[in-house]
Amino acid sequence: MEKQKIPCDFLWGGAVAAHQLEGAYEKGGKGISIADVMTAGANGKDREITDGILPDRYYPNHQAIDFYTRFREDIRLFAEMGFRCFRTSIAWSRIFPNGDESEPNEEGLKFYDELFDELLKYNIEPIVTLSHFEMPLHLVRKYGGWRDRRLIGFFVTFAETVMKRYKDKVKYWMTFNEINNQSSVQNPWSGWTNSGILYREGEDVQTVLQQAVHYEMTASAITVKTGHEINPEFQIGCMLAMVPYYARTCSPQDELAAQTAMAHRLYYYGDLHVFGEYPAYMEAFRREKGICLDITADDLKCLKEGCVDYIGISYYMSSTISSVETEGSVKAAEGIYLAPNPYVEKSDWGWQIDPQGLRYSLNLLYQRYRKPIFIVENGFGAYDKLEMGKVHDPGRMEYLRQHIIEMKKAMFLDGVPVMGYTPWGCIDLVSAGSGEMEKRYGFIYVDKDNQGNGTLMRIKKDSFQWYKKVIESNGEQL
């Protein structure tokens, strides 16, 4: 393995999302998004989704880290680290404030012109996610979010608008961020952030979920086809939350439970994106549950014509599945329990730290799909301390080091084509799950706390120089 080298065009960089760092939630003609009505939570405390913006609540995304006005300063720091790419999203409600307008907001389009121009000035390739947990709130209030077929057209209009505008500035695109997160129907946060859906009492949750997924997948496929027509050089991918599910024991029941979890929480979404058709196991599931969906012949044709070019993944942890309730387990579905894994450590937020799981995941995906894979999120959320103007974060460096080692094993020993690696939250930002600032991922510390206090000063952590050397050496010096 020591004799092999990472390709010279490998995309090292960092990843963020617009709603978690831009702030300026009412500036530049931007409309209110679903992220703008999510309050701050805490470690072990869920964020509240409020009915509009309430005066007595704190919404951390409203200011975030003020990237909207400070992006030039931050990009200079990314360039100093040697970034070859930067993954962000385009806030849908900054381009179409309500989501259903016929004409875009020019001021919003100009902001991303300036952002992408600044990145390209430093030879940093923009990697753009079109929908990253920030759809316009108006689409929820008027149409019920992705419950409604009309959202396909609204999304495609948005996607086509920005792809045409930035066709000479952005080459790499992804449609829906972590679209498979919403398979965890027990967590109301996942349906809201993915699809603008809060399940109603008495309705069949699986029917609502499957219908929303179908509309999103159809919109994604149309976008892929349209994007390739706009610029045949575009590389357009999907984005999956990769959480490999291990069987807790070698009992057949546990193995089957883990297999079922992988099918329903990952492969279902990947199969639609890559193969452009519904897998037999989901059709059987719908028959068994009596689920009838609005799926047209034109939809199926679109799915087949809009298959993705690559697979983007987030990877933070693995999970363990038991077919029976065990100590510390949580029920996820009938006969499926999420169980602790005694062989791996956990982060302060209870996430299983499993570097080898990344290699395992890359192999699973490539063996199934035969598509290049882009690791667009991987990171370590931790409580960082600012002491004497410095932040020492050896735990973060070790976490990333071990994951890069496993990525290289997958590339060199297993033959998996990996396009790039962009650690999540390369600059501290608002946590999507908890709304915290103090759950920090970045190489750059931002002076702001969970209550919104702080100067927003940017400070390089120890990991800043470490990652700079990683990129300079093209992954040789870890």
Side-chain angles (χ1 to χ4, degrees):
M1 194 168 114
E2 291 78 6
K3 296 178 182 179
Q4 300 191 63
K5 306 292 183 185
I6 290 176
C8 60
D9 60 351
F10 189 83
L11 292 167
W12 296 99
V16 299
H19 69 101
Q20 291 172 257
L21 86 166
E22 282 182 7
Y25 84 106
E26 284 185 305
K27 292 182 180 178
K30 179 183 175 295
I32 302 301
S33 79
I34 59 173
D36 294 326
V37 295
M38 296 181 70
T39 67
N43 191 351
K45 177 185 176 184
D46 292 337
R47 303 180 73 174
E48 181 184 0
I49 300 166
T50 60
D51 185 12
I53 296 172
L54 306 180
D56 61 342
R57 300 291 199 280
Y58 170 53
Y59 301 92
N61 300 68
H62 287 189
Q63 184 193 41
I65 64 167
D66 193 28
F67 183 76
Y68 184 81
T69 59
R70 298 168 183 251
F71 69 87
R72 290 183 175 84
E73 168 194 349
D74 293 336
I75 290 172
R76 282 197 298 273
L77 290 169
F78 301 154
E80 184 180 340
M81 266 189 286
F83 277 20
R84 300 176 186 174
C85 71
F86 176 64
R87 180 199 173 210
T88 189
S89 58
I90 294 176
W92 188 350
S93 65
R94 206 175 280 290
I95 309 303
F96 290 94
N98 288 326
D100 59 358
E101 297 94 340
S102 58
E103 296 296 327
N105 170 35
E106 179 61 25
E107 196 168 351
L109 288 168
K110 285 181 179 177
F111 167 71
Y112 291 105
D113 269 320
E114 294 177 9
L115 172 60
F116 298 148
D117 286 344
E118 193 71 14
L119 289 167
L120 293 170
K121 183 173 79 175
Y122 294 101
N123 296 313
I124 299 174
E125 191 88 49
I127 313 291
V128 171
T129 311
L130 290 166
S131 182
H132 195 137
F133 303 168
E134 54 208 4
M135 65 183 287
L137 181 63
H138 173 77
L139 296 181
V140 176
R141 288 178 160 171
K142 185 172 181 179
Y143 304 97
W146 281 96
R147 297 170 182 270
D148 196 304
R149 172 175 282 277
R150 286 172 287 185
L151 264 72
I152 297 174
F154 299 145
F155 180 82
V156 172
T157 296
F158 159 61
E160 184 175 3
T161 298
V162 297
M163 283 179 157
K164 284 182 175 177
R165 177 79 171 219
Y166 310 122
K167 66 183 177 64
D168 298 320
K169 299 181 180 183
V170 178
K171 176 182 178 181
Y172 297 94
W173 303 84
M174 283 171 282
T175 52
F176 291 89
N177 181 71
E178 293 185 332
I179 191 168
N180 56 318
N181 268 355
Q182 58 194 314
S183 62
S184 301
V185 294
Q186 297 85 357
N187 182 355
W189 177 88
S190 63
W192 178 257
T193 53
N194 278 101
S195 303
I197 288 174
L198 293 175
Y199 297 111
R200 300 163 186 161
E201 186 176 352
E203 71 180 350
D204 184 72
V205 170
Q206 279 297 327
T207 298
V208 176
L209 167 65
Q210 303 297 334
Q211 189 66 76
V213 169
H214 174 74
Y215 290 151
E216 288 166 334
M217 287 292 179
T218 304
S220 175
I222 296 171
T223 295
V224 172
K225 183 180 179 183
T226 301
H228 286 150
E229 291 168 353
I230 292 169
N231 185 345
E233 298 300 313
F234 279 170
Q235 290 291 298
I236 310 172
C238 61
M239 200 297 206
L240 304 174
M242 184 64 207
V243 180
Y245 293 103
Y246 304 144
R248 180 176 175 269
T249 72
C250 58
S251 78
Q253 290 84 358
D254 283 0
E255 292 285 358
L256 284 168
Q259 186 180 65
T260 299
M262 288 294 289
H264 285 258
R265 296 196 169 199
L266 177 72
Y267 291 145
Y268 167 38
Y269 302 83
D271 289 357
L272 279 168
H273 277 304
V274 176
F275 302 137
E277 59 188 33
Y278 277 94
Y281 55 83
M282 287 309 299
E283 292 181 342
F285 175 77
R286 291 205 302 264
R287 285 196 302 271
E288 180 193 2
K289 299 295 183 182
I291 296 172
C292 296
L293 301 181
D294 170 27
I295 299 176
T296 70
D298 282 345
D299 294 344
L300 297 176
K301 183 172 181 287
C302 289
L303 289 171
K304 203 66 178 175
E305 293 175 344
C307 297
V308 296
D309 300 313
Y310 68 92
I311 299 171
I313 66 165
S314 60
Y315 178 83
Y316 296 94
M317 58 187 162
S318 60
S319 190
T320 310
I321 297 292
S322 175
S323 59
V324 295
E325 187 173 5
T326 61
E327 183 178 354
S329 67
V330 177
K331 187 174 182 178
E334 191 64 37
I336 297 178
Y337 295 83
L338 302 176
N341 186 340
Y343 298 100
V344 298
E345 298 179 0
K346 292 183 179 181
S347 73
D348 290 334
W349 280 263
W351 292 16
Q352 295 186 167
I353 301 172
D354 179 14
Q356 288 179 298
L358 176 57
R359 179 184 179 187
Y360 176 75
S361 296
L362 292 170
N363 275 279
L364 280 181
L365 290 171
Y366 186 61
Q367 289 169 13
R368 188 179 185 94
Y369 296 124
R370 299 291 177 174
K371 292 283 185 181
I373 301 172
F374 198 158
I375 304 169
V376 296
E377 291 185 29
N378 175 234
F380 183 67
Y383 293 110
D384 293 338
K385 292 183 179 180
L386 179 63
E387 299 175 318
M388 305 295 289
K390 296 184 180 297
V391 178
H392 305 298
D393 55 342
R396 177 170 296 105
M397 291 184 282
E398 184 59 22
Y399 174 96
L400 296 174
R401 178 185 295 114
Q402 292 301 323
H403 282 78
I404 293 172
I405 288 170
E406 296 301 322
M407 176 190 75
K408 291 170 68 176
K409 289 179 182 177
M411 295 172 71
F412 300 158
L413 302 181
D414 308 325
V416 179
V418 180
M419 299 165 55
Y421 178 78
T422 57
W424 174 251
C426 49
I427 181 170
D428 288 348
L429 40 62
V430 176
S431 168
S434 65
E436 296 173 275
M437 270 300 302
E438 294 173 28
K439 184 183 183 183
R440 300 181 183 274
Y441 287 88
F443 304 116
I444 302 164
Y445 183 92
V446 177
D447 181 33
K448 187 177 182 180
D449 64 18
N450 285 351
Q451 291 72 46
N453 305 309
T455 65
L456 295 177
M457 180 182 294
R458 274 62 165 157
I459 299 165
K460 301 172 190 175
K461 304 178 188 178
D462 288 353
S463 58
F464 183 102
Q465 296 299 331
W466 172 82
Y467 193 50
K468 181 179 180 180
K469 291 179 180 177
V470 171
I471 298 175
E472 283 176 347
S473 67
N474 203 25
E476 293 295 311
Q477 294 183 33
L478 299 176

